[in-house]
C-alpha cells in the first residue's frame, strides 16, 4: 500500500479569509437558488436600514427598488432616511465580514453579526464583478457617493469614485447589480418579505417597486418609534466561565467585587456579600485582570446558587399587543385575532427574550390553496421576517408540536396565520444566513405556551362557528362511510353496489332524517349572528 | 424626536475574528444542546481522522473514547493510525479557523472547510478553559506531544508543552475536556454516529468506548482502501465569471488559450478553436493575468454554447454497490436490499457528483418504535453520516417528496432504511456545521431518481409478501367501518349500538365468510416460500 508522508500532505496547507470562505460557500449566507438569493439581498439591506433609522431616532421610510437590467441581471436599490454612514466607516460597514457596531454589543437589534451587507456585496462581485454604489448623507445638506468593493483575499474594503455632493438627501442608499437572481411571486418573494416586514414594523413605511414598475406601498400605521432598548448588561445567571474571564480581563475595575457590580445586571453589593457567603474561598479583592479559570469557575458556580432578579425587561422591547393588532388589521384584516403578551423569559441561564404570538383567522390570514386555504406560520426574529429554512427552525418546531385539533384548528384546511416574534438581545440563529432559530429548550417551551394561549382565544371563536355545522358534518361523515362500506362489500363479493348502498342508507336515514333538517336550520340561523372582530 | 448622529453611532464600530464570531455563535457549528454538542466533537475529529488515513494510504483504525470526568465534564479522545501532523503545522491544523489543506483543493474529501477541528478546540476552551492534548507520530519511531490552544482575539494557535517522545505510536491522537455535553443513546448519539460511519466506510475499523467503559467494535469488512480521487480540474461548464478571473489572475500561462487548456477539465485545443468560432472577439493570445471581467464573461458565455464531455468520473469515488451491500449486510442484516449505482451528474453547471442509494428492508433496518417500526433516512455526504438538521436537508426533502405508497412502502410503519450517500469534490452544505445539504435542483432530482430505482427493487419484494395479506386486511378494514358506522348511528340516534352493529355485520359476513378463510390459507402458504437476500 502506497503511503503518503505527512510533510507531503501539508505542502498544500493554506490560510483563507472569511470572505474567501463565504465566496465558496455562498449558500450558507442564503444565496442558494435564484429566487431566494434575491430575497436575501432585500432582507439584508432592509433590516440594516431599519436598524439604522431606529438607532438614529427616525421613523423609517424604506424604498426597495428591483429593476431588470441587461443579460438577465437585476439592479436592486434599498434606500432609507436614516443617519447615513460616516465616510471613514463606509468600507468597513459594507465591505468587511465580521465588522460592525452590532456584534459585540449586548443589545436588541435586527443585525447582530456584521455579515449581511458584506455578503450582498460579495454576491454582486461573484455574479457581475461590480462593486456596489453607495450614497450617504453626512448632515447639513451634504452627502457623498462612492463605489465599494471587497478584496476577498484579505477581507478588506476597496473604495473608489468618492465624490462629495451638495444634496438634501437624508439617509443611506445602496445599489448593486446582480446576476443569478430572479424576481418571483408567492410565499418566498420580495413582496412577501416586504409585507411581513410591514406586519412586524407598523412604525415603518415600506415601498417596493417590482421589475414591472409596479409600486406596492405598505403605509405606516403607527406614528411612533418603538422604545429604543438600551445596551444590556449581561445577567450573571447566564454567564459561562469563559465569558466571565473575557469580561474580567478587559475590566478597568481594581477589584473583582467592583468589576462584578459594574459589569453585570442585578449585581448589587448585597449580592457580592451573598457570593462571599456561598463560597468564602473567592478572593473578591483580587485584580480582575488576574482572574484565573478556577476562580472564575467558582464565581459562576456561586452565581448559580444565588437567587437573582430576572433580567430587566427594558433590555428587550417587544412589538406590543396594540401595535400587533393594528398591523394585523392593516395587513391581514382577519375575522378574528388573539394576541398574547407575555413576560420576558431567559434562555441559557440569563439571556432575556420575549415571545409574542398572534393567531389570526379569516380575512387574508393563512395561505390560499388551489382549493380553499391552509394555515401558515409567520416567523420573526427581532421583527425580521424569516421566510426560509422553516424545516430547521425552533419556531416551526414549537408551532407544529402543538396538537391543533385540541383548539379546533386544522392547519391543513383553515385560513389561519400563526404570528410569532422573538425579541432578544441575542437571537440564537442556527445558521449564518439567519433564517432559522436554534431550538433552545426554553425558547421552544415559551413559544408553545404563548401559542396555546392565543390558540384558546381563536378556539372560542371557531367553536361558535363550528357548533352549527357539527351535526350536518356528522351526517356527511356517516354518509361517506356508507358509500365506502358498500363499495368495499361490493368489490369483495361482486354483489351489486347500489343495492347494498341502498340497504345501508335505509338503516341510516330511518334513524335520522329529522336531526338532519334540524342541523340545517340551526346552521342557517346562527350564521347570521356572527360578528367580525 | 431625538435623533442620534452617525458619528455617535459608529463610535462603537469594531472588527472581529472568525474565532470570536463562532465563539459567540457556537450553535452554528453544531454546538447546540448537550447531546448534539458531544456528537459534533466525535463527528469532526473522526471525519478528520478518516481523511488523514486515506490521504496517507493507510486502512483506517479509529478509536473514539468518551470518559466521564469531574464536575459533569467529559474527556473525549479520538486517535487514528494515519500519517500524523508535522510539528510546524499542528497549531494551524487544529487551532485556526479557515486554515487547512482542504479548502482550496477541488477534491473529494470529508472535510472541506478548515473549521471543524478548530471548532472542537474553541468549544473545549469555552466550556472548560482547557487546551487540547495532541500526540502525533513524526516517523522513525518518533512522536511528539503538546497542548494546543486558540487565541480567539486573532484566530491564532498557542502551542505549549511541546515534548519529543520515543514512541512507536503511529498516527494522531487528539484529546479534550468538555463541559455542557452529554453522552446519550438513540438516533442522535455517538454510538449511532459510529455505526453509520461503519456503514459508509466498510474499509475502516472503528472502536467506540462509552462512558461506562463498554466497547463497541465495528469491524472492518473490506480490506481495501477506496480509490483515492485525484484533485480535480474544474469543468468549464460550471465556471462563473468570478471563478474564471480568480484562476486567470494567478495563472503562470502566457496566453488565455494555454491557461484554459492547463487549468480546466475537458479543455483541449479543439475546444479552444470552438470557443474562437463561437465568439471571435475573445483575444486568446492575451495574458491571463490581464483578463478583464468583460472578456471573462464572454468566455463563460462561450463555454455555455459548446458541447462539453461530462466531468471525468474518476474525480468522484462513490462507495460502490458491492461495498454498500457488504456494509449493509454487516450492520443492518436486512431481509432484502436494493442498491442503485448511477453515473456521475453535475450541479451548478460543472461540479460532478454521484448519488448512491440503498433501500434496506427488515432485519435491523428502520427505527424501532414503542410498537413495531418506522422507516428512517440514513444521510451521508462523502461517507460522513449526517445525523442532525434533517428538516432542512436536500436528501430528506428528496426522499420525503417521493410517493412511497406507489412502491408499497409505508415509512410510518415499516422497518425500512433509505441509505443515501452523495460523493462530490464539493458538497454544498447549507450550514457551517455541515449537517444538511443545500437543496440544489440537480441534486434533488438525481436523489429522487436513484431512490425510486432502488424502491422498485424493494417493492417487488414487499409485493410478494403483501399480496398474501391483502384480502385479510381488506376484511379488517370493512370490519372497522362497521364498528365506526354503528357507533356513529347510535351516537346520533340513541339507538342501541350493538343491535345496529349486529345488523351491519350480518350484511357483511353473509357476503364473505368464505373469502376470509381463503385469505388466511393463502397467507400461510406463501410466507414459507420467502427467501432472505
Amino acid at each position: 500500500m502506497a503511503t503518503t508522508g505527512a510533510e507531503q500532505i501539508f505542502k498544500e496547507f493554506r490560510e483563507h479569509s472569511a470572505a474567501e470562505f463565504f465566496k465558496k460557500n455562498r449558500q450558507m449566507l442564503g444565496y442558494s437558488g435564484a429566487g431566494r438569493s434575491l430575497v436575501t439581498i432585500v432582507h439584508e439591506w432592509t433590516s440594516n436600514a431599519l436598524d439604522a433609522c431606529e438607532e438614529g431616532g427616525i421613523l423609517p421610510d424604506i424604498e426597495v427598488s428591483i429593476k431588470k437590467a441587461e443579460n438577465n441581471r437585476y439592479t436592486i436599490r434599498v434606500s432609507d432616511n436614516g443617519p447615513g454612514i460616516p465616510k471613514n466607516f463606509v468600507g468597513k460597514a459594507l465591505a468587511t465580514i465580521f465588522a460592525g457596531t452590532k456584534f459585540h454589543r449586548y443589545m436588541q437589534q435586527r443585525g447582530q453579526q456584521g455579515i449581511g451587507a458584506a455578503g450582498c456585496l460579495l454576491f454582486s462581485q461573484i455574479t457581475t464583478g461590480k462593486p456596489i454604489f453607495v450614497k450617504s448623507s453626512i448632515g447639513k445638506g451634504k452627502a457623498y457617493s462612492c463605489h465599494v468593493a471587497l478584496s476577498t483575499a484579505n477581507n478588506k474594503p476597496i473604495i473608489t469614485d468618492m465624490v462629495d455632493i451638495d444634496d438634501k438627501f437624508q439617509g443611506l442608499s445602496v445599489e448593486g447589480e446582480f446576476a443569478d437572481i430572479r424576481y418571483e411571486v408567492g410565499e418566498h418573494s420580495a413582496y412577501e418579505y416586504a409585507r411581513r416586514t410591514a406586519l412586524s414594523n407598523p412604525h415603518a413605511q415600506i415601498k417596493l417597486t417590482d421589475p414591472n414598475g409596479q409600486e406596492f406601498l405598505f403605509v405606516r400605521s403607527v406614528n411612533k418609534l418603538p422604545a429604543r432598548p438600551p445596551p444590556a448588561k449581561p445577567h450573571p445567571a447566564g454567564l459561562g466561565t469563559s465569558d466571565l474571564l473575557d469580561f474580567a480581563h478587559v475590566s478597568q475595575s481594581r477589584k473583582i467585587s467592583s468589576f462584578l457590580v459594574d459589569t453585570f445586571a442585578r449585581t448589587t453589593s448585597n449580592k457580592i456579600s451573598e457570593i462571599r457567603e456561598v463560597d468564602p474561598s473567592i478572593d473578591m479583592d483580587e485584580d480582575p485582570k488576574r482572574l484565573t479559570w478556577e476562580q472564575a469557575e467558582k464565581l459562576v458556580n456561586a452565581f448559580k446558587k444565588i437567587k437573582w432578579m430576572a433580567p430587566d425587561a427594558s433590555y428587550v422591547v417587544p412589538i406590543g399587543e396594540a401595535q400587533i393588532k393594528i398591523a394585523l388589521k392593516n395587513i391581514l384584516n382577519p375575522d378574528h385575532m388573539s394576541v398574547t403578551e407575555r413576560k420576558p423569559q431567559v434562555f441559557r441561564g440569563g439571556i432575556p427574550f420575549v415571545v409574542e404570538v398572534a393567531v389570526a383567522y379569516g380575512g387574508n390570514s393563512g395561505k390560499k390553496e388551489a382549493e380553499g386555504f391552509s394555515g401558515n406560520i409567520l416567523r420573526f426574529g427581532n421583527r425580521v421576517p424569516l421566510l426560509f429554512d422553516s424545516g430547521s427552525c425552533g419556531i416551526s418546531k414549537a408551532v407544529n408540536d402543538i396538537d391543533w385539533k385540541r383548539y379546533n384548528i386544522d392547519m391543513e384546511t383553515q385560513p389561519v396565520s400563526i404570528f410569532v416574534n422573538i425579541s432578544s438581545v441575542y437571537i440564537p440563529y442556527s445558521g449564518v444566513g439567519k433564517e432559522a432559530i436554534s431550538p433552545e429548550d426554553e425558547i421552544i417551551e415559551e413559544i408553545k405556551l404563548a401559542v396555546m394561549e392565543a390558540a384558546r382565544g381563536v378556539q372560542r371563536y371557531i367553536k361558535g362557528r363550528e357548533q352549527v355545522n357539527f351535526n350536518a358534518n356528522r351526517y356527511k361523515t356517516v354518509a361517506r362511510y356508507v358509500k365506502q362500506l358498500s363499495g368495499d362489500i361490493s368489490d369483495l363479493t361482486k354483489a351489486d353496489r347500489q343495492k347494498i348502498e341502498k340497504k345501508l342508507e335505509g338503516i341510516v336515514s330511518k334513524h335520522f332524517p329529522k336531526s338532519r333538517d334540524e342541523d340545517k336550520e340551526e346552521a342557517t340561523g346562527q350564521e347570521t349572528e356572527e360578528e367580525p372582530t
Side-chain angles (χ1 to χ4, degrees), chain A residues 271 274-276 278 301-308:
Chain A
K271 287 290 159 194
E274 281 187 52
I275 295 167
R276 279 189 215 269
V278 166
N301 288 334
F303 292 165
K304 287 188 180 133
K305 287 177 187 147
I306 287 174
K307 213 172 143 57
W308 294 94

Side-chain angles (χ1 to χ4, degrees), chain A residues 51-290:
Chain A
D51 269 345
C53 290
E54 289 171 17
E55 184 144 22
I58 298 161
L59 276 172
D61 244 318
I62 314 286
E63 294 193 18
V64 178
S65 148
I66 304 170
K67 284 190 186 150
K68 270 288 219 179
E70 281 182 4
N71 297 323
N72 278 321
R73 293 175 174 186
Y74 288 84
T75 303
I76 300 183
R77 189 181 64 234
V78 175
S79 59
D80 63 50
N81 58 336
I85 302 177
K87 263 189 201 176
N88 51 328
F89 281 107
V90 66
K92 290 273 177 205
L94 298 175
T96 308
I97 288 173
F98 300 141
T101 59
K102 299 170 181 178
F103 182 87
H104 58 288
R105 283 197 292 178
Y106 198 62
M107 185 170 168
Q108 179 187 345
Q109 287 172 113
R110 293 172 184 77
Q112 58 189 33
Q113 308 190 139
I115 296 184
C120 292
L121 171 51
L122 201 56
F123 193 66
S124 105
Q125 287 188 184
I126 293 169
T127 59
T128 67
K130 297 211 171 164
I132 55 170
F133 177 70
V134 179
K135 189 171 148 183
S136 172
S137 59
I138 38 176
K140 300 171 197 147
K142 297 272 183 195
Y144 68 86
S145 73
C146 64
H147 286 101
V148 180
L150 165 54
S151 163
T152 49
N154 56 11
N155 188 30
K156 298 278 180 213
I158 302 164
I159 315 252
T160 50
D161 314 320
M162 175 64 80
V163 182
D164 287 309
I165 36 180
D166 285 319
D167 194 328
K168 293 216 171 112
F169 171 73
Q170 169 65 38
L172 179 75
S173 157
V174 284
E175 179 178 317
E177 189 176 321
F178 304 88
D180 294 350
I181 65 174
R182 190 172 51 241
Y183 186 82
E184 295 178 347
V185 292
E187 277 283 282
H188 300 105
S189 63
Y191 171 81
E192 184 63 18
Y193 185 84
R195 193 175 79 109
R196 293 197 189 178
T197 302
L199 249 180
S200 52
N201 298 274
H203 65 288
Q205 179 131 319
I206 299 158
K207 191 169 93 178
L208 170 70
T209 309
D210 81 3
N212 297 320
Q214 197 176 347
E215 290 184 359
F216 303 95
L217 182 67
F218 298 93
V219 292
R220 179 177 295 118
S221 53
V222 171
N223 279 307
K224 189 168 165 275
L225 271 174
R228 179 94 191 133
K233 286 181 173 181
H235 192 279
L239 278 181
T241 308
S242 165
D243 301 325
L244 178 61
L245 276 172
D246 287 349
F247 284 112
H249 291 168
V250 297
S251 168
Q252 301 298 319
S253 306
R254 288 179 50 213
K255 293 178 176 184
I256 298 285
S257 52
S258 52
F259 153 67
L260 295 177
V261 172
D262 292 347
T263 313
F264 302 109
R266 305 301 196 191
T267 314
T268 57
S269 54
N270 280 343
K271 287 290 159 194
I272 301 295
S273 309
E274 281 187 52
I275 295 167
R276 279 189 215 269
E277 276 167 41
V278 166
D279 188 344
S281 78
I282 298 170
D283 180 1
M284 284 288 188
D285 298 328
E286 173 68 277
D287 179 350
K289 286 205 178 53
R290 300 175 62 181

Side-chain angles (χ1 to χ4, degrees), chain A residues 333-522:
Chain A
N333 193 27
D335 297 334
H336 178 87
M337 55 186 163
S338 293
V339 181
T340 59
E341 209 178 30
R342 291 174 59 87
K343 282 188 194 155
Q345 304 290 325
V346 296
F347 71 101
R348 292 189 190 168
I351 304 177
F353 72 103
V354 173
V355 168
E356 292 170 289
V357 167
V359 180
Y361 189 95
N364 294 316
S365 308
K367 201 175 134 190
K368 273 200 186 109
E369 300 287 349
E371 287 184 27
F373 291 89
S374 67
N376 65 1
I377 305 173
L378 308 173
R379 300 176 289 128
F380 300 88
N382 282 342
R383 298 174 184 248
V384 177
L386 313 177
L387 256 58
F388 299 94
D389 298 340
S390 69
S392 55
C393 182
I395 295 180
S396 314
K397 185 176 153 46
V399 173
N400 291 325
D401 272 2
I402 286 170
D403 182 7
W404 284 101
K405 279 184 218 135
R406 281 184 51 191
Y407 301 96
N408 302 69
I409 293 172
D410 183 348
M411 294 287 281
E412 304 287 313
T413 62
Q414 287 176 326
V416 56
S417 285
I418 319 294
F419 172 106
V420 181
N421 179 49
I422 300 179
S423 305
S424 179
V425 298
Y426 173 75
I427 298 198
Y429 289 108
S430 56
V432 189
K434 298 204 300 175
E435 287 285 347
I437 289 168
S438 180
E440 305 269 342
D441 288 344
E442 295 96 334
I443 295 180
I444 296 276
E445 201 45 45
E446 175 66 6
I447 295 173
K448 279 191 193 168
L449 290 173
V451 172
M452 289 190 288
E453 198 178 315
R456 278 191 288 272
V458 172
Q459 179 182 30
R460 284 188 287 274
Y461 169 77
I462 294 177
K463 258 193 174 166
R465 285 177 53 132
E466 284 197 344
Q467 189 58 45
V468 300
N469 293 318
F470 178 72
N471 286 333
N473 284 334
R474 197 70 188 267
Y475 181 81
K476 268 189 210 155
T477 308
V478 170
R480 215 184 308 131
Y481 285 129
V482 166
K483 267 208 154 15
Q484 177 74 43
L485 178 58
S486 33
D488 282 339
I489 295 174
S490 149
D491 272 14
L492 277 157
T493 62
K494 314 294 170 214
D496 185 285
R497 182 196 180 118
Q498 291 194 320
K499 267 190 198 163
I500 297 169
E501 196 171 329
K502 232 175 189 163
K503 215 185 264 177
L504 290 176
E505 268 180 359
I507 298 175
V508 175
S509 59
K510 204 172 77 193
H511 285 288
F512 55 115
K514 218 175 46 182
S515 63
R516 197 179 170 185
D517 292 345
E518 275 172 10
D519 285 351
K520 272 189 184 164
E521 270 166 37
E522 210 182 321

